């Protein structure tokens, strides 16, 4: 149980420090996973609130294994300013990183990394 709670809060705590080219004044995005979290080896849908940034791409990788995902997620801007991401499939248990490519109002681009561990109960 403790591990599950830690996994819920750890990615949020890490987001500002994992913002890549973004500077510390940039707000982190909010990721809204389905109830129960990201499922293992199933295509799923989730939403993000990019805090005013434009989402230009989404992808995922399993850095320790040197590979990414086997699907091509698509995203759609919703009326509430969030984006819905469809077609994500994290096919192996372990440590994943979901990447969000974002565009700021000034035209600059950067990548936010959302670390995620799945499949260990």
């Amino acid at each position: 149980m403790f591990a599950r709670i830690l996994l819920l809060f750890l990615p949020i705590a890490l987001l500002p420090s994992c913002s890549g080219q973004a500077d510390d004044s940039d707000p982190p995005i909010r990721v809204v996973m389905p109830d129960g979290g990201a499922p293992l080896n199933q295509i799923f849908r989730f939403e993000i609130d990019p805090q005013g940034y434009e989402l230009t791409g989404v992808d995922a990788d399993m850095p320790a294994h040197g590979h990414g995902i086997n699907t091509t997620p698509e995203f759609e801007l919703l009326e509430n300013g969030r984006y819905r991401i469809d077609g994500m499939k994290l096919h192996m248990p372990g440590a994943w990183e979901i990447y969000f490519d974002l565009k700021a109002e000034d035209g600059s681009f950067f990548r936010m990394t959302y670390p995620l561990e799945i499949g260990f109960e």
Side-chain angles (χ1 to χ4, degrees), residues 85-107:
I85 290 97
D86 289 300
M88 180 71 66
K89 182 178 180 182
L90 306 174
H91 60 277
M92 294 180 66
W96 286 89
E97 292 181 345
I98 300 177
Y99 305 119
F100 301 104
D101 295 324
L102 302 167
K103 181 180 178 183
E105 286 184 16
D106 67 3

Side-chain angles (χ1 to χ4, degrees), residues 51-110:
Q51 304 291 313
Y53 295 100
E54 177 186 349
L55 181 65
T56 61
V58 62
D59 200 2
D61 189 39
M62 197 173 208
H65 290 227
H67 65 76
I69 55 177
N70 298 323
T71 60
T72 304
E74 297 180 358
F75 55 91
E76 175 185 2
L77 178 61
L78 304 174
E79 288 182 17
N80 62 5
R82 289 183 174 187
Y83 286 85
R84 180 176 52 234
I85 290 97
D86 289 300
M88 180 71 66
K89 182 178 180 182
L90 306 174
H91 60 277
M92 294 180 66
W96 286 89
E97 292 181 345
I98 300 177
Y99 305 119
F100 301 104
D101 295 324
L102 302 167
K103 181 180 178 183
E105 286 184 16
D106 67 3
S108 61
F109 289 88
F110 62 96

Side-chain angles (χ1 to χ4, degrees), residues 9 40 81 111:
F9 293 102
L40 175 62
R111 174 170 272 191

